[in-house]
């Protein structure tokens, strides 16, 4: 029985404060949408693929041992790609107004498991610059790794290409607004229950019985306002005059 009453009170509180809940939800969605579309800078992403593969000769065949060697080298290559030795040259060739540390934050190097392909992913506010940084980094690495590691097993598999209508990867307005809707809904529900908890006034006969724990003996009818009484008296007089 108590659970039923508690559940009824829960829905009653939500129903009574539905306006506040709806308002906070709509407000949160509006703010998230405005910030996403008007204030956050779009970030574009592009990538270049680098193939790590042992050079084959007439006397040699591609073996599992060579593949394992390449896979082990990939971890080393991932560090070299983002090293100042490579990025300083990229900055110089592109005349970028940033440090190697700042450029490092724009570049991510990753590989699929047991794959000989290295992905150089670049994020930038300018989609064309993201493409150029990715390609220049791959080219500089391909040229310098021969001297640095004394190997010739790196080649550019797929250069970055600027799409006709690139779409930003950040921000995601729809996702931001969906998250804001959930947060706004939770905030509205929280405010509703907080108001109910802080409101200690007794508004109904049931509230009196619940709080005092005694049965209600009687109810005083609401007293009409003076203006209402005068209006009623005046209307009665006019009716009496017409009937007379």
């Amino acid at each position: 029985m108590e659970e039923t009453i508690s559940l009824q009170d829960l829905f009653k509180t939500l129903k009574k404060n539905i306006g506040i809940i709806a308002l906070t939800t709509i407000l949160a969605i509006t703010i998230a949408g405005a910030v996403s579309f008007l204030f956050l800078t779009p970030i574009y992403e592009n990538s270049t693929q680098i193939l790590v593969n042992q050079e084959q000769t007439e006397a040699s065949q591609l073996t599992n041992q060579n593949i394992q060697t390449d896979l082990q080298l990939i971890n080393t290559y991932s560090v070299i790609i983002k090293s100042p030795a490579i990025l300083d040259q990229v900055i110089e060739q592109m005349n970028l107004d940033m440090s190697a540390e700042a450029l490092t934050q724009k570049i991510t190097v990753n590989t699929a498991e047991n794959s000989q392909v290295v992905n150089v992913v670049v994020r930038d506010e300018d989609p064309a610059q993201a493409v150029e940084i990715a390609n220049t980094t791959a080219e500089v690495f391909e040229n310098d790794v021969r001297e640095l590691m004394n190997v010739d097993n790196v080649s550019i598999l797929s250069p970055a290409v600027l799409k006709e209508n690139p779409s930003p990867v950040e921000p995601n307005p729809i996702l931001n607004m969906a998250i804001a809707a959930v947060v706004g809904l939770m905030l509205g529900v929280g405010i509703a229950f907080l108001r109910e908890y802080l409101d200690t006034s007794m508004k109904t006969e049931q509230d009196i019985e619940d709080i005092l724990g005694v049965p209600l003996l009687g109810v005083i009818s609401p007293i009409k306002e003076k203006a209402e009484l005068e209006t009623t008296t005046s209307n009665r007089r006019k009716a009496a005059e017409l009937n007379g």
Side-chain angles (χ1 to χ4, degrees), residues 103-123:
L103 183 55
T104 301
Q105 301 301 319
K106 296 176 178 287
I107 300 176
T108 303
V109 181
N110 57 62
T111 59
E113 187 176 359
N114 295 327
S115 172
Q116 294 174 260
V117 177
V118 179
N119 297 312
V120 180
V121 183
V122 178
R123 289 191 172 192

Side-chain angles (χ1 to χ4, degrees), residues 2 44 67 103 140 150 210 241:
E2 292 182 358
Y44 298 87
I67 294 176
L103 183 55
V140 171
N150 194 25
D210 293 340
E241 291 175 358

Side-chain angles (χ1 to χ4, degrees), residues 50-53 73-81 83 85-86 89 118 137-156:
I50 300 174
L51 177 63
V52 179
N53 190 19
L73 284 173
I74 284 176
N75 294 329
T76 303
Y77 290 167
S78 299
V79 176
I80 294 176
I81 290 174
S83 68
I86 302 297
Q89 295 185 56
V118 179
T137 301
E139 292 169 1
V140 171
F141 171 71
E142 182 185 17
N143 294 330
D144 287 14
V145 75
R146 298 170 184 172
E147 298 180 5
L148 293 173
M149 300 291 293
N150 194 25
V151 293
D152 187 16
N153 64 341
V154 173
S155 60
I156 297 177

Side-chain angles (χ1 to χ4, degrees), residues 8-112:
Q8 290 176 347
D9 291 340
L10 172 65
F11 285 110
K12 188 183 299 182
T13 300
L14 294 176
K15 183 178 180 180
K16 184 168 63 175
N17 295 276
I18 189 65
I20 294 177
I21 297 173
L23 180 62
T24 55
T25 303
I26 295 173
L27 185 62
I29 294 174
T30 303
I31 293 174
V35 171
S36 299
F37 285 108
L38 302 177
F39 297 100
L40 296 182
T41 303
I43 302 297
Y44 298 87
E45 181 180 282
N46 219 310
S47 63
T48 298
Q49 291 184 324
I50 300 174
L51 177 63
V52 179
N53 190 19
Q54 294 286 351
E55 183 180 10
Q56 297 184 52
T57 63
E58 295 181 358
S60 66
Q61 298 292 330
L62 188 63
T63 63
N64 289 333
Q65 184 176 0
N66 290 336
I67 294 176
Q68 290 301 320
T69 301
D70 291 335
L71 293 176
Q72 293 173 5
L73 284 173
I74 284 176
N75 294 329
T76 303
Y77 290 167
S78 299
V79 176
I80 294 176
I81 290 174
K82 298 183 66 174
S83 68
I86 302 297
L87 299 185
D88 284 341
Q89 295 185 56
V90 175
I91 293 172
E92 183 179 354
Q93 291 186 20
M94 295 182 58
N95 294 320
L96 297 175
D97 186 19
M98 66 179 69
S99 63
E101 289 78 10
L103 183 55
T104 301
Q105 301 301 319
K106 296 176 178 287
I107 300 176
T108 303
V109 181
N110 57 62
T111 59

